[in-house]
Each structure stands twice: as C-alpha cells, then as structure tokens.
Amino acid sequence: MRRIVVVGGGYAGFYAAWKLEKKLRRGEAEVIVIDPRPYMTYQPFLPEVLSGSVEARHAAISLRRNLHHTKLIAGSVTKVEHGRRTVTIQPVKGPEYELEYDIIAVTAGAVTRTFDLPGVADRAIGMKHVEEAVAIRDRLLTAFDEASVLPPGPERRRLLTVTFVGGGFAGVEGFGELLSLANALLKKYPELSRDDLAFHLVEATQRILPEVTDGPRKWVRSLLVRRGAHLHLDTTLLSADDGHVILSDGTEYDTELLVWTAGNAATRLVRGHTDLPVTDRGLIQTRADLRVGTETEVVPDAWAAGDDAAVPDLASPVPGAFTVPNAQNAVRQGKRLAKNLLASLRGREPKNYVHHTLGAVATLGLGTGIFQFRWIVVRGFLAWLMHRGYHVLAVPTWDRKMRVLSVWLAAAIHGRDIVSLASVQRPRDAFVNEAALPKLSLADVHSGGTPAVAEPADRSS
C-alpha cells in the first residue's frame, strides 16, 4: 500500500485528504496529513468572528471529526528530502523524526508577510487563524470597558484607536466588520462618543480591494469614511514602537490595537528546507495539472496546491499568470489534486486545473457588502446577503452550516454578543489571586476558626 503524505491541513490539504479517503479503494493507499493545528480555519469567516457574527469554533473545521480514514500527525514538517522520499517532522511534543513516503502533496499554505519594522513583532496581531480573530475582538471589547471609566483625553483616545495595515480583502473586511462593531458598541456605552473612536487603514498602494474595479472601490472608500475611518493610501508604516504609530505620510498617533494583514509569504519550509524546485517568489514550481515541475519536466510523485504553489492560471488572458492565492483556488485545487492523484495511482493522465473566477464578494459590516462579477456590481444589503449565502454553502460539513445559520438567526433577533473573554488567555489569574489569600488549615476548618496568617496579598495585580 502506497503512503501519501499531505503537508498541511489548510484548505487545499483538507479538501485533498477529504476527497481522497472517499474515493480510495480499501488497501489502495494510506493518507497522512501533517499539521500542528487540529483544525482547518475557514478564513472567510474570520472578519465575522471579529464582529461576533460567527462563533470562533464555527470557523474551525475539525480534522479528526471529518477525516475518518486519514492518519493525522500533530506537528510541523521542517524538511522535505524528496530524493530520499522522507520528511522531517517536529511534533507538538517530543523530538524530531523522519517519516518515509511514496507520494507527497505540499499544501503548506502561506504565512503573513512581515517586515523588520520597529514594534510590529511586539504589538501586531495577524488575521489568518481563529485565535487571532478572537484576540482582536476581545481586545476591542476590553478597550471599551477600560475607556468608559476614563475622562476624555489621550489615554481614552489611545484605547479606542485601531490600526489595520493592508488593504486587501482580509484587511478591508476585518476593518469594516470591526468598525461596524465599534459603532454599534457606542449605544451600550453612553460615556463614549464617536469622536473617541479612531480607526486607521494603512495601504501601501493607491488601491484597496484590488480584485474589484475603480467604481466599486470608490464606493467602499466612501462608505468607510462616512463611518469614521481614516484611510492612508499610498502610505506605509514606518514604526509602531511601544504602540506609537509613525506613517510615511507624516501621521503620528498612539494605538491600542495593531492588526497586520499586509499580504502573504511562503512558509519557511518552502523558502529553504526542501529539494523540490522553487520559483523566484519562493513558491513550489507547479504544473497546471498540480504535479511539481515544469511544462517539460515532471518531478515524480510530487504534487503541490494552494497558497504555496505557483500554479499556472490557464483561465487568465495574461500569458504566464499564476492563480491568485485565495480560498476559491485553494479549495478547488485541493479537489482537483485528489482527483489527479487517484488518476495517477490508477494509470490515467491527470487533468489541468482551470478555474474561471466566480467574482469577488466582501462583507463590510453588519448588513453591508460589495459583490462584483465582471461588469455586474451589487452593493449594500443584497451583497451582504449574497456573501452570507455563498459562504454558508461553501463552508464544509452540514454540522458547520447549521451552527453558523443558528448563530446568525439568534443575532438577527437578539443582536450580537458583546462579552469579552480576554481573561481566558490567562485562565489561572483568578486561582492564583485566591491562592495568595490567607489559608485555612484543616484544624481551622474543623474548629470553625480563622487562619492566623499575614496580610492578604494585593489582588489588584
């Protein structure tokens, strides 16, 4: 029985393994998925996790619950030696070890692209994973609680200042949803006003939402500005040291929350820890049929898909174009990868991956969205409904579809939940503080006495 190793359990890896185990015959092949996380993140839901419109767990698709016949290894692949048909695995616990394979599919995805800027590594939060979205939401809700007891001034202003760096779909959707939540929260905090809020979106080019045309893009900019946003286009972040933001357009201010969504970069594995061919952009050199290699040369038993693969875009009118690293392509490439792997195992020729875009759709806050397909543009509430309808159909498993729908229905009737659970990031604080108080001995408990111990510990910490 041949061993197929899938590196990464994101979109492409999850769908490839999911489809493979449904189609493989008994004893035909063993599938192993290696990923440090036990779930696939449905990233289009992360902006709505920020605003509380989707529960965090509902944006996470359990690998073990859905991959019934696939072996899962909780760890990271640190090296691929295809010449020896081995991968080096760093498990979540324990020492590194090597695993042999017959066929490899590299679907490791991408990581957030960062730059060596003062303060970014210390202050910024990305927006690729569920835990990051939850942290962003909790920080905003906590900031409202803290700001509501402060007098107007610099400290209150800092707490309610939010900065997003990156004006692509992830950045604009997250920014729009969080700004919508902040404006809605003002109704619950009479001590605060809209003048206390400062939301900044920083984009290095002149365009936000590059996937849409100038008309819809201008409408989105106008919408965000009407809600109180400060847009800094053709501007870069120079420093965020100690929360003090300095922009290339001369703007300076203090921010409590810094969210980094400035594009993707290849993983460390692909950048320098594999003998598979890599492009100048740091991506796996991939053919249109998802085999690793070039048009004239194929690397045997090696496949790639998703954000870490340079897949030729056969649907693009631009010669030499590669597929865009987005959810549409990753999902469909994962499915095509499974079909092509099966065809290869059974002696048939794999087919090329060709996908014509279904358009671009984005949520911009509760009840507002934008959709464009070629010359067709839909704005506002209808586009928002289209966004929700598309993604509830696209999210895998009926379990997740029903859970997401139930949360949306509850929110439509009762409104969004505005409880911060930031304390769960420090679950032992309450216990530690209580443990520092005077203790009762067993003798005191039986006698009903009180402990003769020093003064109580300071609980303010």
Side-chain angles (χ1 to χ4, degrees):
M1 185 164 62
R2 307 193 76 183
R3 175 179 289 171
I4 302 171
V5 166
V6 180
V7 181
Y11 279 119
F14 171 80
Y15 275 95
W18 201 26
K19 297 299 180 183
L20 275 172
E21 70 171 28
K22 291 180 179 180
K23 299 295 184 181
L24 282 169
R25 303 182 186 118
R26 184 182 297 274
E28 188 174 14
E30 173 192 20
V31 180
I32 300 175
V33 172
I34 307 170
D35 197 284
R37 288 182 170 81
Y39 58 84
M40 180 202 84
T41 301
Y42 190 74
Q43 292 183 354
F45 278 158
L46 293 186
E48 294 196 77
V49 172
L50 260 64
S51 65
S53 296
V54 171
E55 288 292 328
R57 286 188 179 90
H58 300 168
I61 314 302
S62 170
L63 299 181
R64 291 193 179 274
R65 181 167 183 172
N66 295 288
L67 299 178
H68 306 292
H69 307 296
T70 298
K71 181 178 179 180
L72 301 173
I73 296 178
S76 302
V77 173
T78 59
K79 191 174 184 180
V80 174
E81 295 182 79
H82 192 63
R84 296 175 51 224
R85 298 295 198 275
T86 62
V87 292
T88 302
I89 301 172
Q90 175 59 66
V92 174
K93 294 288 185 181
E96 283 189 345
Y97 65 92
E98 288 188 347
L99 177 70
E100 295 182 350
Y101 64 82
D102 298 295
I103 301 170
I104 191 170
V106 182
T107 59
V111 295
T112 302
R113 181 180 60 187
T114 58
F115 303 95
D116 187 18
L117 298 172
V120 170
D122 300 325
R123 306 279 306 189
I125 304 176
M127 214 178 80
K128 273 190 170 295
H129 305 290
V130 172
E131 57 268 31
E132 293 174 321
V134 172
I136 294 168
R137 168 182 163 79
D138 284 344
R139 285 199 185 185
L140 180 72
L141 295 173
T142 301
F144 265 79
D145 285 333
E146 294 174 352
S148 66
V149 298
L150 294 176
E155 181 61 14
R156 178 195 274 190
R157 182 76 170 178
R158 180 190 67 80
L159 285 169
L160 298 179
T161 298
V162 176
T163 304
F164 272 67
V165 180
F169 257 79
V172 171
E173 285 190 298
F175 184 82
E177 285 286 345
L178 206 64
L179 179 57
S180 172
L181 173 62
N183 282 322
L185 285 173
L186 292 175
K187 299 176 183 178
K188 307 295 184 182
Y189 291 85
E191 309 90 346
L192 304 175
S193 70
R194 187 170 175 177
D195 292 336
D196 293 314
L197 297 180
F199 272 65
H200 298 264
L201 178 62
V202 182
E203 167 54 38
T205 70
Q206 283 284 356
R207 303 184 302 168
I208 62 172
L209 296 178
E211 291 87 348
V212 302
T213 54
D214 290 340
R217 191 182 301 126
K218 183 178 179 181
W219 178 83
V220 172
R221 290 200 306 264
S222 176
L223 172 74
L224 295 176
V225 170
R226 289 199 306 270
R227 290 180 176 175
H230 303 275
L231 303 184
H232 305 271
L233 303 182
D234 201 17
T235 303
T236 57
L237 177 73
L238 300 180
S239 173
D241 201 16
D242 200 25
H244 182 71
V245 171
I246 302 176
L247 303 179
S248 62
D249 64 1
T251 304
E252 294 189 32
Y253 58 89
D254 293 326
T255 189
E256 169 67 10
L257 184 55
L258 176 62
V259 183
W260 190 272
T261 62
N264 297 325
T267 63
R268 292 176 183 174
L269 168 68
V270 176
R271 287 202 299 263
H273 300 278
T274 176
D275 57 359
L276 295 172
V278 177
T279 68
D280 295 338
R281 297 165 53 210
L283 304 176
I284 298 290
Q285 181 72 57
T286 311
R287 294 160 47 95
D289 59 10
L290 304 183
R291 288 184 289 181
V292 175
T294 64
E295 290 184 8
T296 58
E297 187 176 353
V298 177
V299 177
D301 300 322
W303 305 74
D307 292 355
D308 65 352
V311 180
D313 189 354
L314 302 184
S316 173
V318 180
F322 295 99
T323 56
V324 178
N326 59 20
Q328 278 190 41
N329 282 313
V331 169
R332 288 162 177 81
Q333 285 176 12
K335 294 177 180 179
R336 172 47 56 191
L337 175 59
K339 292 177 181 178
N340 283 355
L341 259 171
L342 284 169
S344 178
L345 285 172
R346 296 167 184 174
R348 301 194 303 269
E349 282 297 311
K351 295 182 179 179
N352 288 338
Y353 171 76
V354 183
H355 172 61
H356 297 275
T357 179
L358 302 176
V361 62
T363 175
L364 302 170
L366 192 63
T368 307
I370 182 77
F371 167 80
Q372 181 173 17
F373 176 67
R374 296 179 182 172
W375 53 269
I376 302 173
V377 177
V378 181
R379 305 167 182 167
F381 184 72
L382 180 57
W384 177 76
L385 286 179
M386 293 170 68
H387 175 273
R388 288 201 160 184
Y390 172 78
H391 285 300
V392 80
L393 291 174
V395 66
T397 79
W398 281 102
D399 161 60
R400 282 296 175 264
K401 298 179 195 295
M402 298 307 297
R403 291 179 188 274
V404 170
L405 280 173
S406 65
V407 172
W408 283 343
L409 178 61
I413 298 172
H414 302 290
R416 291 179 289 198
D417 195 343
I418 60 170
V419 175
S420 169
L421 294 178
S423 59
V424 302
Q425 298 171 37
R426 301 181 304 277
R428 295 188 66 249
D429 282 4
F431 179 80
V432 169
N433 286 335
E434 292 299 329
L437 293 175
K439 311 296 189 299
L440 282 171
S441 68
L442 288 176
D444 292 328
V445 172
H446 291 307
S447 65
T450 57
V453 188
E455 289 296 320
D458 180 11
R459 300 181 65 180
S460 62
S461 60

